[in-house]
Amino acid sequence: MFSAGFSILMLAFLFSLSRGEQPYEGFVRWLDGPWAVAVSVVILAGVLYHTATWFRLTTHIVEVRLGRRVVPRAAIGGALVAAWIVVSAVVAYFHVWFWR
Amino acid sequence: MTSEGERPAGPGGQVSLGEVLETSDRLEILPRGRGRLRLRLPSPEPFAWALFSAGGFVAALLVPVHVAILGIAFAAGWLPDDAFSYQRIHRLANNPLAKLYLLALIALPLFHWAHRFRFAIHHQFGIGLKRLVAVGCYGSALAGTAVAVWILVRI
């Protein structure tokens, strides 16, 4: 539900980008305003809740075996959270600092 | 006590994954002929579940950082001044790999939403109309994907 809201936000951003510099600057000005932040806070809260429940669900579904031993759920959850942090850092790097 | 025909809800009124699977399209494919074997076309449902799960992972792993950057960090002034300049973002989004990434980032959560929302309409809102709901949900996701392709090609 909230991630679909993000998809629409991203589509609007890219649509303004495809229309040229002036429409893009207009959309970026809207992004700077209070409405964009309010919408984003709601989406972020919803999506973070989804991340938590989705990872929890994954640890209950996936069973990883190393030889005869079953990897404990906490370890899978930890690996997922670690992957989430690494992926977020990589995305942030490309989105903000790459090619500056 | 649940009345006849009503589905017992799980703890807290929530619908469990098992119940969702139980009412999935698979049940309707069971042969109903009198002892005869009936050939039916394979259901496209596993495909919907695959997109649901891929979209779930994209939404969990990738979407939070994007929302935080695009919607919050920029307005809060935490980013360098030229991070969102037209030239830079245009150059970034022009890369074919970036376009492929953006398409997955936008489209997969849409299919996740479509599949999830379809069952929410049936279970949480108690509305039937299976075919109409399915066409509406997957249709919106397909439309969103088509719009994304159209925009990305024009960048």
Side-chain angles (χ1 to χ4, degrees):
Chain A
M1 196 77 215
F2 296 97
S3 56
F6 164 76
S7 292
I8 292 165
L9 186 72
M10 199 68 181
L11 277 177
F13 180 67
L14 292 171
F15 180 60
S16 74
L17 183 69
S18 75
R19 282 172 64 217
E21 185 159 3
Q22 231 135 33
Y24 174 77
E25 296 296 346
F27 189 79
V28 166
R29 261 197 302 283
W30 179 78
L31 274 183
D32 217 354
W35 282 109
V37 176
V39 168
S40 299
V41 167
V42 173
I43 292 178
L44 185 63
V47 169
L48 282 177
Y49 178 73
H50 166 78
T51 302
T53 52
W54 190 260
F55 282 180
R56 225 175 71 84
L57 185 74
T58 308
T59 59
H60 281 75
I61 294 172
V62 178
E63 193 182 85
V64 183
R65 285 171 190 275
L66 288 178
R68 280 190 193 165
R69 293 184 52 204
V70 177
V71 175
R73 271 179 189 167
I76 300 174
L80 283 171
V81 171
W84 183 74
I85 291 169
V86 170
V87 166
S88 298
V90 170
V91 168
Y93 169 72
F94 275 98
H95 201 332
V96 179
W97 288 281
F98 189 64
W99 262 343
R100 271 187 58 229
Chain B
M1 282 292 282
T2 52
S3 62
E4 200 182 354
E6 198 183 319
R7 190 163 296 283
Q14 284 183 324
V15 179
S16 74
L17 187 64
E19 287 171 75
V20 172
L21 286 169
E22 220 174 84
T23 46
S24 78
D25 294 344
R26 269 285 144 205
L27 275 193
E28 294 173 11
I29 292 168
L30 289 175
R32 297 227 179 98
R34 291 184 209 117
R36 279 182 302 156
L37 249 179
R38 276 202 190 170
L39 267 181
R40 297 272 176 106
L41 284 174
S43 157
E45 216 198 340
F47 194 63
W49 278 103
L51 284 172
F52 167 78
S53 139
F57 258 105
V58 167
L61 265 181
L62 298 170
V63 171
V65 62
H66 276 284
V67 180
I69 291 173
L70 194 68
I72 297 168
F74 172 69
W78 297 335
L79 307 182
D81 288 341
D82 57 345
F84 272 26
S85 76
Y86 175 76
Q87 279 75 20
R88 183 176 169 272
I89 294 293
H90 191 262
R91 201 172 151 206
L92 262 184
N94 229 337
N95 186 299
L97 273 180
K99 286 187 183 190
L100 215 62
Y101 168 79
L102 287 170
L103 182 64
L105 180 70
I106 292 167
L108 289 175
L110 285 179
F111 282 98
H112 176 80
W113 165 83
H115 200 59
R116 181 70 189 81
F117 195 61
R118 181 182 159 212
F119 285 115
I121 289 174
H122 297 323
H123 293 286
Q124 265 111 14
F125 308 143
I127 298 168
L129 307 168
K130 278 192 118 178
R131 184 154 296 187
L132 181 73
V133 168
V135 168
C137 287
Y138 300 131
S140 324
L142 272 175
T145 307
V147 170
V149 169
W150 180 70
I151 289 174
L152 286 169
V153 164
R154 281 159 39 99
I155 285 178

